[in-house]
Amino acid sequence: MSDFLFARSQMAMSLAFHIIFAAVGIGMPLLMAVAEALYLRTGDAGYLDLAKRWAKGTAILFAVGAVSGTVLSFELGLLWPTFMAHAGPIIGMPFSLEGFAFFTEAIFLGIYLYGWKRIPPFIHWLSGVLVAISGAVSGIFVVTANAWMNTPTGFDFVDGQFVNIDPIAAMFNPAAFHQVLHMTLAAYVATGFAVSAVHAYFLRKDLRNIFHRRALGIALAVACISIPLQILSGDFSAKQVARLQPIKFAAMEAHYRTEAGAPLIVGGIPDDQAMVTRYALEIPYGLSILAYGDSQAEVTGLEAFPRSDWPNTLLVHLSFDIMVASGMAMLAVALWAGWLWWRRRRLPDHPLLLRALVAAGPLGFVAIETGWMVTELGRQPWVIYGYMRTAEAVTPMTGLVVPFVTFTGLYLALSVILVFLLRRQFLESPESPAEERQEEGYAGA
């Protein structure tokens, strides 16, 4: 491998690792705040147990996410100095605001963790709400910076230089809204299904366990509400990509020929040389309808662009299909759970549904990882779409295999430590039933 590929691989690995904690950092505080709100409303100690355990788990994930996020910030400067030299003045504002939101999240998480016996209950719950809000806002600012790389605006490009910079216009670039919406909902979907899977697993062994029933109820509600919204936002995002980045859209759909009434290609193996997708299922007019709402609309194919500008069609198309399939599978499970709840008006705990929830647990993160691959690989060979190629942005330094191996070891070590620390917080129910601790309240922290 060349140093360029080592640089790309290290960046990809760091993002793939960090994005999990970024998503959980958005989703878990919401579950935590909902659990405490239900305790304040009902006085049920089961919800208090949940809020405390989820808060400790959130703190562990926050710490690991802070480490991996710090690594990423260093990598941007060390591996991609040309990119940062040109893009830094343009996207510096969202990164600065992200830092402000991150510190806000850290401060209120500290208050939440150590304030159980020191501040009034409502103020304590409010600090948890602020953790949830600042975590989401932090993610929003980072995604706006990434969206700018896909649809760069807010500057004039004169003689190879970015001049007349408007950071506000850059932050509100054309891709910002649909990327922010899709990524934020993805965080709630992934966290909701992952937490549901953990507690569904234990409910299969003991259906009467109050702790896991309370936990599954909250996590499943978040998952079932967010996944239909995510499907709609995905449809909206695809339409925007078709308009703003037609070459990425063509790679996502493995669509080679520009044509009206374009079919939707599901699965298959794209062959760039022959410009066909083998072994695929084709739905007549499907792509034209999905992209433009018109069965006769013309959809631009990859043939309209120079070969040197094509992304890796195979990886982008397969990643896109896996993301969509994961989303549809989660939607089916959510509809099943919703139907059972509607019939019985209580927590859906059918054994088959619990099995399905366990199986669906990783799908949210599978969708996030593959969705991020679509976003990043689909933009290649550009790091700033249409202005700077990725190969132009990489550091001239050699020997990049060393940091690649070092950070791979770091992430593996962090993963082992994380699993060890989370096991007690998420995989063990309280030793005593919640009813026995009904009177402990905040003093039991």
Side-chain angles (χ1 to χ4, degrees), residues 65-410:
V67 172
S68 58
T70 303
V71 170
L72 268 175
S73 64
F74 281 114
E75 286 178 348
L76 276 174
L78 294 174
L79 296 177
W80 312 102
T82 308
F83 167 73
M84 290 305 296
H86 289 84
I90 306 173
I91 58 175
M93 177 176 283
F95 277 129
S96 300
L97 293 173
E98 187 273 339
F100 178 77
F102 173 79
F103 285 121
T104 303
E105 183 182 8
I107 290 168
F108 282 101
L109 181 59
I111 293 172
Y112 192 85
L113 290 172
Y114 295 101
W116 288 102
K117 292 185 284 188
R118 296 177 175 84
I119 57 178
F122 177 77
I123 300 299
H124 185 270
W125 169 77
L126 190 60
S127 66
V129 172
L130 291 173
V131 172
I133 293 173
S134 54
V137 170
S138 178
I140 287 170
F141 284 127
V142 171
V143 175
T144 59
N146 178 266
W148 177 83
M149 295 162 68
N150 290 316
T151 55
T153 54
F155 59 86
D156 292 325
F157 195 65
V158 180
D159 297 330
Q161 300 295 318
F162 296 87
V163 298
N164 300 325
I165 292 169
D166 181 350
I168 300 295
M171 200 162 64
F172 290 96
N173 62 80
F177 177 71
H178 74 260
Q179 279 198 219
V180 163
L181 180 65
H182 202 50
M183 186 62 222
T184 305
L185 284 171
Y188 296 125
V189 169
T191 306
F193 272 96
V195 176
S196 294
V198 170
H199 297 288
Y201 175 82
F202 286 99
L203 270 185
R204 289 181 56 236
K205 300 179 179 179
D206 180 10
L207 274 176
R208 295 178 297 176
N209 187 298
I210 293 174
F211 176 79
H212 293 300
R213 294 187 72 84
R214 299 283 188 272
L216 180 62
I218 295 173
L220 193 56
V222 171
C224 290
I225 292 171
S226 55
I227 185 62
L229 298 175
Q230 178 68 330
I231 298 298
L232 293 175
S233 82
D235 177 66
F236 175 68
S237 292
K239 288 180 168 60
Q240 296 305 305
V241 173
R243 181 173 63 86
L244 299 169
Q245 293 180 282
I247 188 171
K248 177 189 285 187
F249 184 75
M252 286 162 51
E253 303 289 356
H255 182 64
Y256 288 100
R257 307 289 182 184
T258 300
E259 60 184 321
L264 178 66
I265 297 174
V266 180
I269 302 174
D271 182 343
D272 285 352
Q273 296 304 317
M275 296 183 65
V276 296
T277 303
R278 307 183 192 282
Y279 316 115
L281 171 66
E282 291 194 10
I283 302 174
Y285 310 107
L287 189 58
S288 291
I289 294 172
L290 286 177
Y292 300 105
D294 179 356
S295 64
Q296 296 303 316
E298 181 178 279
V299 180
T300 304
L302 285 165
E303 66 175 358
F305 305 93
R307 282 287 182 116
S308 59
D309 287 351
W310 286 20
N312 187 316
T313 312
L314 176 63
L315 288 180
V316 174
H317 177 62
L318 292 181
S319 298
F320 179 70
D321 278 358
I322 292 172
M323 177 189 69
V324 173
S326 299
M328 289 302 175
M330 289 186 286
L331 178 65
V333 174
L335 291 175
W336 184 9
W339 180 67
L340 290 176
W341 174 86
W342 180 76
R343 286 187 60 196
R344 303 172 182 174
R345 299 292 178 181
R346 63 179 177 83
L347 180 72
D349 56 1
H350 191 283
L352 289 178
L353 176 67
L354 296 180
R355 287 178 182 272
L357 285 170
V358 173
L363 291 182
F365 292 106
V366 171
I368 284 179
E369 296 285 4
T370 51
W372 202 250
M373 288 177 67
V374 171
T375 301
E376 295 301 297
L377 292 176
R379 191 186 59 244
Q380 300 302 319
W382 303 97
V383 64
I384 304 174
Y385 186 62
Y387 291 94
M388 180 185 291
R389 290 181 181 267
T390 308
E392 298 169 348
V394 72
T395 176
M397 188 175 70
T398 59
L400 295 183
V401 62
V402 176
F404 174 75
V405 172
T406 302
F407 281 104
T408 299
L410 170 67

